[in-house]
Amino acid sequence: RYIPHGSVLLAELPRLNVLGKPQGGTEWRLLFAQDHGRAIKGDGRFDLYTGVGGEAEAAAYAVSGLHRAYLLVRKPG
């Protein structure tokens, strides 16, 4: 509702190991808005695609909490 398709976001995400488990600390990633995430309930939340299968599902659930995300926009002019 707030982020247009095709938008670029800079997001702070928890650092995960190869098993998808949090290993401490965070890292910054560029994300691309590709759908509306209709299953998301509440403001200030977004869905993050991590792949297919059990490991990807575990990694997706590990990426939660209070982190920052910025919508990158072109400077006018």
Side-chain angles (χ1 to χ4, degrees):
R1 176 166 107 191
Y2 300 107
I3 301 172
H5 284 171
S7 295
V8 179
L9 297 105
L10 180 62
E12 179 187 28
L13 302 173
R15 191 179 308 258
L16 304 177
N17 65 20
V18 295
L19 300 174
K21 304 288 183 195
Q23 65 179 28
T26 60
E27 59 189 9
W28 290 90
R29 296 278 182 106
L30 288 175
L31 306 178
F32 302 94
Q34 297 180 333
D35 69 20
H36 286 288
R38 298 187 200 301
I40 300 170
K41 306 296 181 210
D43 294 334
R45 305 179 70 82
F46 58 84
D47 193 12
L48 182 64
Y49 179 77
T50 56
V52 177
E55 290 179 10
E57 183 179 4
Y61 285 116
V63 180
S64 65
L66 300 174
H67 299 285
R68 296 171 286 185
Y70 299 94
L71 177 63
L72 303 181
V73 297
R74 188 175 181 174
K75 184 176 179 179

